[in-house]
Amino acid sequence: MKKNQPLAQQQSPADALIIGAGFAGLGTAIRLQQQGIRNITILERSDDVGGTWRDNQYPGAACDIPSNLYSFSFAQNPNWSRSFSGSREILEYIHHLVNHFNLRQYIRFNQNVSNLAWDQDKGLWQATTTNGDVFSGRTAVMAQGPLSNPGWPGIAGLDEFKGKKIHSAAWDHDYDLKGKRIAVIGTGASAIQIVPELAKCAGKLTVFQRTPPWIMPRPDFTTPDWNKTLFRKAPVSQTAVRKALYLAHESMALAVIWNSPLTRFAERLGRWHLRKQVPDRWLRRQLTPDYRLGCKRILVSNDYYPALQKPNTKLITWPIDRISENGIRTVEGIEHQFDCIVFATGFEVSNAGTPFPITGIGGRSLNEEWKRGAQAYKSINVSGYPNLFFTFGPNSGPGHNSALVYMESQMDYIVRSIRTIQSLKLKALDVRQSSQDDHNREIQSRLAKTNWNSGCQSWYLTEDGFNATMYPGFATQYAKQMSKLELKDYRLLAAEAESETV
Amino acid sequence: MAKIDLDKMLEKIKDTQWSLSDVDWDAPGAELITPEQWPKLKAFMADLMWIEHVGARAFAAMAKKAPDDTLRQIYTYFHAEEQRHANAEMALMKRWGMLEDGELPEPNNNLRLVIEWLDRFADDQPVYVLGTVVPMLEIALDGALCKFLLDTVDDPVCHQAFELINGDEARHLGVGFSVMEMQGHGKTYIELIRMTAQLMDPRLILGIASYFPLLNKMRDNIVEMGLPEEKLYEAMRKFEKIGGRTGDGRRNPWFQIIKHHGRFVVDRKKRFYHAPIDALVKVADVIPRKAFPEVPSWVKEITYQPTA
């Protein structure tokens, strides 16, 4: 089922039209299937499943949440080879999910959605893809991923460089890096994983840093065989470990999200890690963050600092002036010349707009409404866009715990809502604007007290400093928020009648 | 109030960048340096280059302490730009055959003390202190030295390089004086109390102990190279004139201190000042090189090569 489906099949509306076959899209399909909802269409822009973990296969790519927590609670994997798995193993897990739950039947590959519009008369969402195909669904699930499109930096002369350009999220595995003069721009989550790997093979490696991240030690180890056997034979033991990891991460919220004595403690731990690994005073100064821990994403690594001190590696903290034909010009007046520039510059964040036009009731445009910062009700619904659900919608981002924990709460909310739509025979389930506003007022007042809003610049914030990304609380609080479908917060439109039923 | 819009200034800084490869360091003209000039010029350029380099380190400290993000970015650029000046001056030295391949000129002992102080204590200093001392150093030393250089050296490449350098310096001074005025705005009394406390800080006293002799040492060097010391004093008076052009500027207590200190420096008759400071210069001169700890690694970041 690789290419276009027969028209008849496309025209029959799905109960759930899911955009994206990554963790969120596939997980939602599994949960729907388990509830007996099988009329599902998943639109995937690529020719394979996996989303983030399919795209991010750069050298050293791995998850910085332990695998026992970065997996679905309803599909635990006893065979993780390490405490923090690499991207390839996570992708294998996703493939396993697809096969085990027989999800391939739902997926339409190479269908890149370019437009999503609500047809009020029919009560259907219509997704048009770049192929010109149209798919419809009584409900639609945005599972395209919050970080799925490579973000390129706004550096002058980006197109002038004559050497090789590689983005971390679209790695070119055919390009031989051995002995090359390589630049890495960026020192975020991807960069600190790439740099140690490149330092092993590059002739010369130069890392360009704008802001140093907080880096914590990474308790990574190979899973012993007895552990795998134990998890296989007594799954309850894995559930217990998962619970313990969950609680350990929950406690980190106290350091990460809010400014507390634990924040100071974590900062001391970060500085201790730096001091232990970097003897040179000036290099240590360059690598010491000057913003409060938690304001930007906290990273974990044991081999990043040592890699920077290898004889073939150099850290540059001078501001970049421009990219030239042969390399990168920095403000200290030197042109650093390279064969290859690696852009570990993250992703386009849709915290102010939508990845493609989404049109709701009466032709309203979500892109327009979100221009000054995205807002939703409980991160999942937006008023005026009935039967549309967002995974990792506005203010659902975790800073301290597994994204998959949050995702499971969202998936269950979606399944509950779709079952409600079906059982009450609703044409439209549309959240009330007032409920959405109340929710956002509360979220924003809580966010004001968090480290994310403490003054640094990060991708969590829009250009105006509006935080449309993070959830200000424990994962447990978020799960509680998502545990109940409060019908009083919605306008319900019956399938047969044009009037509101509630 | 601030006379310049710092956001606009930051944009301007970003728009007026240049790099060493914009200059043809092999263009004709190097032969215009006379054999008499050569040895003096070598010592002079080494000092100048080191002053730029320590200025760079001071801006790095200021970037850490900047009161807002715009100023933090500006100081980050200035840090790199001062480094660029040191690099360009080293490229001139290389052009004039004053450096072996890979050679780094030796800093004099007074500069060595300043480097040591900056490395250890600059990051802990309040932004007000460096924010006032740095414009003084720039206007007095940088300004006077550059002028002297352009008056005596005919090499067109030198003139081309210093045109670029002076363009940057004008912005550095513009921001420097503007920040001094911001700091003087309506809080004199509190600042005075705070400053008195800061003056008691032994780290600052050590800083003063390295800054004062540096000025006298530079004066001696200038005299030795045949520049009338009056030119240095003219430049220092400019600090007083520009820094004190507004009420806010004059209310900045650090400006007052540096200004009064400048008056001492330019008046050789003030023996109570010059006798001990000149003695300190002499003491510094006889400190054996090996008595200094190893130079911090930022010192080795300078290069005369336009590409890396």
Side-chain angles (χ1 to χ4, degrees):
Chain A
M1 289 203 219
K2 283 252 161 167
K3 251 309 224 170
N4 296 357
Q5 299 304 306
L7 208 61
Q9 209 175 325
Q10 288 175 24
Q11 281 177 340
S12 130
D15 287 338
L17 181 64
I18 299 172
I19 298 164
F23 260 125
L26 297 170
T28 305
I30 295 170
R31 287 315 231 182
L32 285 168
Q33 194 175 246
Q34 286 172 338
Q35 294 292 324
I37 299 168
R38 291 170 186 279
N39 182 11
I40 301 166
T41 301
I42 303 176
L43 301 177
E44 169 53 50
R45 66 177 174 181
S46 168
D47 59 2
D48 195 6
V49 298
T52 300
W53 299 102
R54 176 200 60 224
D55 295 339
N56 284 273
Q57 290 288 338
Y58 54 79
C63 186
D64 48 17
I65 292 283
S67 304
N68 279 316
L69 197 53
Y70 196 82
S71 47
F72 285 133
S73 62
F74 51 82
Q76 293 189 50
N77 172 21
N79 299 320
W80 292 116
S81 66
R82 306 191 64 80
S83 48
F84 291 84
S85 296
S87 124
R88 206 160 287 274
E89 197 174 355
I90 297 172
L91 186 59
E92 280 166 21
Y93 171 72
I94 296 175
H95 278 273
H96 160 77
L97 293 177
V98 171
N99 295 332
H100 183 76
F101 292 98
N102 196 19
L103 302 178
R104 213 161 273 272
Q105 54 175 325
Y106 305 130
I107 308 170
R108 308 290 175 267
F109 287 105
N110 299 304
Q111 294 289 2
N112 189 11
V113 175
S114 56
N115 189 59
L116 185 66
W118 172 250
D119 184 329
Q120 177 73 0
D121 295 335
K122 294 183 186 150
L124 291 176
W125 280 102
Q126 309 269 14
T128 310
T129 65
T130 48
N131 300 343
D133 293 333
V134 179
F135 297 86
S136 59
R138 275 178 282 279
T139 65
V141 178
M142 292 285 286
Q144 84 292 351
L147 304 173
S148 48
N149 294 322
W152 295 85
I155 302 174
L158 198 58
D159 298 326
E160 285 170 29
F161 183 60
K162 291 230 168 107
K164 176 80 179 169
K165 280 188 285 194
I166 303 182
H167 195 284
S168 58
W171 200 264
D172 181 352
H173 291 275
D174 295 332
Y175 182 75
D176 184 12
L177 297 154
K178 202 165 183 309
K180 296 272 172 39
R181 299 171 303 164
I182 306 169
V184 173
I185 298 184
T187 52
S190 307
I192 70 153
Q193 295 180 341
I194 293 173
V195 166
E197 293 305 311
L198 295 186
K200 289 177 192 163
C201 63
K204 179 182 104 169
L205 177 66
T206 311
V207 181
F208 290 85
Q209 170 190 283
R210 188 168 55 183
T211 315
W214 281 102
I215 301 179
M216 299 288 144
R218 181 183 175 94
D220 194 13
F221 52 84
T222 315
T223 318
D225 284 340
W226 63 261
N227 199 164
K228 293 182 198 167
T229 314
L230 176 70
F231 283 174
R232 258 196 308 273
K233 293 201 170 152
V236 64
S237 63
Q238 188 167 19
T239 307
V241 168
R242 183 185 169 93
K243 189 78 187 163
L245 284 170
Y246 172 78
L247 291 173
H249 279 80
E250 278 294 76
S251 69
M252 289 179 203
L254 293 169
V256 175
I257 302 183
W258 301 282
N259 189 19
S260 74
L262 278 175
T263 313
R264 299 286 88 70
F265 173 77
E267 286 177 348
R268 269 206 292 277
L269 176 65
R271 277 194 288 265
W272 171 81
H273 186 47
L274 178 62
R275 226 178 7 257
K276 200 167 86 68
Q277 295 200 325
V278 182
D280 183 72
R281 193 141 39 114
W282 178 247
L283 181 60
R284 215 161 51 222
R285 183 190 187 275
Q286 289 175 300
L287 291 168
T288 304
D290 52 9
Y291 56 87
R292 190 188 297 162
L293 176 130
C295 192
K296 289 167 181 275
R297 185 165 162 186
I298 299 167
L299 310 180
V300 286
S301 173
N302 296 337
D303 50 6
Y304 175 66
Y305 290 145
L308 287 179
Q309 296 165 87
K310 285 192 170 180
N312 64 338
T313 309
K314 189 168 171 51
L315 176 75
I316 300 262
T317 55
W318 305 118
I320 292 177
D321 172 30
R322 61 178 297 113
I323 291 176
S324 63
E325 212 173 276
N326 299 313
I328 298 169
R329 285 187 180 196
T330 36
V331 175
E332 95 287 21
I334 308 300
E335 180 175 286
H336 304 268
Q337 299 187 334
F338 302 103
D339 303 311
C340 169
I341 302 178
V342 171
F343 292 87
T345 43
F347 306 89
E348 282 176 10
V349 184
S350 25
N351 55 10
T354 54
F356 42 77
I358 299 178
T359 315
I361 295 173
R364 59 197 286 176
S365 153
L366 191 54
N367 198 41
E368 276 301 312
E369 290 179 39
W370 277 4
K371 241 183 191 155
R372 306 210 48 154
Q375 287 198 10
Y377 167 77
K378 293 186 178 178
S379 81
I380 207 150
N381 296 122
V382 182
S383 181
Y385 302 82
N387 302 1
L388 177 66
F389 301 93
F390 289 82
T391 62
F392 285 112
N395 301 110
S396 63
H400 68 287
N401 214 324
S402 170
L404 265 61
V405 168
Y406 287 67
M407 198 186 276
E408 283 195 29
S409 303
Q410 294 158 15
M411 283 155 31
D412 290 345
Y413 193 95
I414 293 169
V415 173
R416 203 174 301 122
S417 304
I418 294 178
R419 289 198 65 194
T420 305
I421 289 169
Q422 290 188 333
S423 62
L424 297 180
K425 296 193 168 50
L426 298 179
K427 184 180 185 181
L429 179 71
D430 187 15
V431 72
R432 294 177 191 278
Q433 185 67 47
S434 56
S435 306
Q436 183 176 317
D437 292 345
D438 290 347
H439 173 78
N440 277 288
R441 249 192 307 278
E442 195 212 324
I443 284 281
Q444 289 302 327
S445 90
R446 279 162 57 187
L447 274 167
K449 299 174 199 127
T450 64
N451 290 339
W452 302 310
N453 288 33
S454 66
C456 72
Q457 280 181 348
S458 73
W459 63 263
Y460 300 151
L461 308 181
T462 64
E463 274 180 22
D464 302 334
F466 178 78
N467 191 335
T469 315
M470 305 306 277
Y471 176 73
F474 293 97
T476 313
Q477 274 175 289
Y478 184 78
K480 188 160 175 282
Q481 169 187 296
M482 305 309 281
S483 65
K484 224 172 140 197
L485 176 64
E486 304 266 12
L487 284 180
K488 65 173 173 38
D489 288 344
Y490 289 86
R491 290 189 312 120
L492 277 57
L493 196 66
E496 298 308 320
E498 279 301 303
S499 59
E500 266 186 49
T501 56
V502 176
Chain B
M1 289 294 286
K3 291 291 180 294
I4 53 173
D5 179 333
L6 290 178
D7 288 310
K8 278 189 192 148
M9 178 53 99
L10 178 59
E11 282 316 304
K12 195 172 172 192
I13 292 164
K14 287 181 179 175
D15 290 343
T16 46
Q17 289 301 313
W18 55 277
S19 83
L20 261 64
S21 42
D22 295 340
V23 177
D24 179 4
W25 301 100
D26 297 322
E31 68 286 354
L32 295 171
I33 306 295
T34 63
E36 300 79 56
Q37 267 181 327
W38 197 89
K40 283 181 189 172
L41 199 54
K42 182 176 174 181
F44 178 90
M45 288 301 288
D47 278 352
L48 181 59
M49 183 216 86
W50 280 108
I51 287 172
E52 303 271 19
H53 198 31
V54 299
R57 181 63 184 82
F59 276 124
M62 286 155 80
K64 285 251 179 207
K65 290 283 167 100
D68 64 60
D69 191 56
T70 307
L71 210 48
R72 188 185 59 74
Q73 283 194 59
I74 288 178
Y75 287 147
T76 304
Y77 267 82
F78 286 0
H79 172 205
E81 288 180 349
E82 291 290 346
Q83 182 90 2
R84 176 167 69 205
H85 302 169
N87 288 340
E89 285 150 15
M90 246 176 104
L92 277 175
M93 290 180 79
K94 179 75 182 151
R95 165 183 167 82
W96 293 333
M98 294 167 180
L99 292 178
E100 297 297 322
D101 281 347
E103 186 190 344
L104 185 65
E106 281 278 315
N108 69 44
N109 280 4
N110 288 99
L111 277 161
R112 194 65 189 73
L113 286 170
V114 171
I115 289 170
E116 209 46 48
W117 181 83
L118 280 168
D119 190 52
R120 288 185 185 277
F121 306 119
D123 289 342
D124 301 327
Q125 293 306 312
V127 74
Y128 312 103
V129 180
L130 291 171
T132 318
V133 175
V134 169
M136 178 54 143
L137 272 173
E138 287 208 279
I139 205 166
L141 300 178
D142 236 6
L145 298 182
C146 292
K147 192 162 183 340
F148 166 70
L149 194 70
L150 294 180
D151 284 349
T152 49
V153 175
D154 294 328
D155 182 357
V157 173
C158 176
H159 283 257
Q160 187 194 351
F162 274 93
E163 201 172 307
L164 293 165
I165 291 173
N166 287 337
D168 293 342
E169 294 292 359
R171 282 185 291 276
H172 294 194
L173 285 172
V175 171
F177 283 114
S178 194
V179 169
M180 278 165 60
E181 283 168 15
M182 275 158 66
Q183 287 163 352
H185 183 57
K187 46 180 177 180
T188 311
Y189 179 71
I190 299 167
E191 269 318 305
L192 264 174
I193 303 286
R194 207 192 273 173
M195 189 186 65
T196 317
Q198 282 157 2
L199 276 170
M200 299 296 133
D201 184 338
R203 293 169 300 188
L204 185 60
I205 292 171
L206 274 175
I208 292 169
S210 45
Y211 163 73
F212 283 10
L214 178 67
L215 286 179
N216 279 32
K217 170 77 179 173
M218 294 316 296
R219 176 206 62 199
D220 295 348
N221 284 2
I222 284 168
V223 173
E224 202 179 308
M225 279 181 286
L227 172 79
E229 58 185 276
E230 196 46 41
K231 288 219 168 160
L232 174 65
Y233 303 157
E234 264 171 39
M236 290 182 75
R237 283 186 202 109
K238 241 192 235 169
F239 172 87
E240 183 173 339
K241 204 170 125 201
I242 304 174
R245 69 193 158 174
T246 65
D248 284 339
R250 288 190 295 275
R251 268 190 294 275
N252 180 339
W254 282 102
F255 164 75
Q256 290 299 336
I257 292 196
I258 301 288
K259 177 190 85 179
H260 282 288
H261 170 249
R263 286 186 188 165
F264 290 152
V265 177
V266 301
D267 186 356
R268 288 240 196 194
K269 279 182 245 149
K270 297 256 190 305
R271 290 297 302 156
F272 67 91
Y273 174 81
H274 286 280
I277 300 296
D278 285 341
L280 275 178
V281 173
K282 287 207 175 68
V283 169
D285 275 344
V286 297
I287 301 175
R289 301 302 289 185
K290 59 183 173 198
F292 288 104
E294 204 193 329
V295 286
S297 57
W298 55 267
V299 164
K300 298 170 192 154
E301 294 282 309
I302 37 180
T303 175
Y304 53 77
Q305 282 171 333
T307 60

